[in-house]
């Protein structure tokens, strides 16, 4: 694949076509956040994203950069594993007569707020291979999103976040 040889993500694969989908229970709302924006991406771009993310994940696992307590977006781990780990921790604490508190945090808009310079810094600090770093940097440049409705078409340059529907989102 030429993109892998040149460490360059083709510009034509960086355009997301946004389809707004009503969130359940908010169909009659006038609020702009009633929509979940799904990004339709070029198939070739999704294949290259998948190759890129697989190679970065391989690097991260091989170098020991993944925390064992991270259950989301990891192969062979699931929410059931997370629940079982919490259950075991709680049981050990109860058996030891300890007092515990459980705090849950929901980060709203995490994918939308992903800061690209921070992602690149983490890749650089983790000694990510240059070809993967360069391809990721290319992935982040010149991205656009297009929203079309019956009466409107707008295109905007994107400088942060990850498209809903992208293979790279969880990274």
């Amino acid at each position: 694949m030429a993109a892998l040889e040149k460490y360059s993500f083709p510009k034509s694969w960086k355009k997301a076509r946004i389809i707004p989908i009503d969130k359940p229970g908010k169909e009659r709302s006038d609020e702009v956040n009633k929509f979940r924006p799904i990004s339709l991406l070029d198939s070739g771009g999704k294949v290259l994203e998948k190759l890129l993310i697989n190679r970065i994940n391989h690097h991260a696992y091989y170098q020991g950069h993944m925390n064992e307590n991270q259950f989301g977006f990891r192969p062979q781990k699931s929410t059931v594993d997370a629940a079982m780990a919490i259950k075991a921790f709680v049981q050990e604490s109860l058996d030891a007569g300890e007092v515990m508190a459980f705090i849950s945090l929901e980060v709203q808009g995490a994918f939308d707020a992903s800061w690209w310079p921070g992602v690149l810094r983490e890749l650089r600090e983790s000694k990510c291979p240059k070809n993967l770093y360069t391809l990721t940097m290319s992935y982040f440049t010149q991205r656009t999103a297009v929203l079309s409705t019956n009466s409107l078409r707008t295109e905007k340059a994107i400088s942060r976040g990850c498209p809903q529907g992208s293979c790279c989102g969880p990274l």
Side-chain angles (χ1 to χ4, degrees), residues 31-171:
E31 301 289 321
V32 72
N33 67 355
K34 81 174 202 169
F35 296 109
R36 173 170 286 117
I38 303 300
S39 299
L40 298 182
L41 302 165
D42 187 280
S43 297
K46 289 187 88 154
V47 169
L48 185 54
E49 281 184 27
K50 193 68 170 169
L51 289 170
L52 174 62
I53 200 67
N54 284 345
R55 290 176 182 201
I56 289 174
N57 279 334
H58 175 76
H59 166 74
Y61 291 121
Y62 182 75
Q63 296 294 321
H65 295 301
M66 299 300 283
N67 188 312
E68 285 303 311
N69 291 319
Q70 179 181 334
F71 293 90
F73 310 111
R74 300 234 1 228
Q76 308 302 315
K77 295 224 178 189
S78 70
T79 54
V80 173
D81 296 316
M84 295 303 289
I86 291 170
K87 180 181 181 258
F89 176 80
V90 167
Q91 189 61 54
E92 287 176 26
S93 298
L94 289 174
D95 291 346
E98 297 172 344
V99 176
M100 70 194 101
F102 183 82
I103 299 171
S104 177
L105 176 66
E106 167 67 25
V107 180
Q108 187 174 12
F111 287 112
D112 298 335
S114 176
W115 188 53
W116 297 347
V119 173
L120 292 169
R121 184 191 69 235
E122 290 296 322
L123 289 174
R124 195 172 42 254
E125 289 178 1
S126 73
K127 298 185 180 18
C128 182
K130 184 178 179 181
N131 62 330
L132 300 179
Y133 178 85
T134 305
L135 186 57
T136 303
M137 193 166 45
S138 173
Y139 173 81
F140 287 148
T141 59
Q142 298 179 311
R143 295 199 72 85
T144 58
V146 177
L147 174 65
S148 295
T149 65
N150 293 340
S151 60
L152 172 72
R153 182 185 188 281
T154 184
E155 185 168 341
K156 181 181 178 191
I158 305 297
S159 60
R160 66 183 172 110
C162 194
Q164 182 86 15
S166 165
C167 300
C168 290
L171 173 68

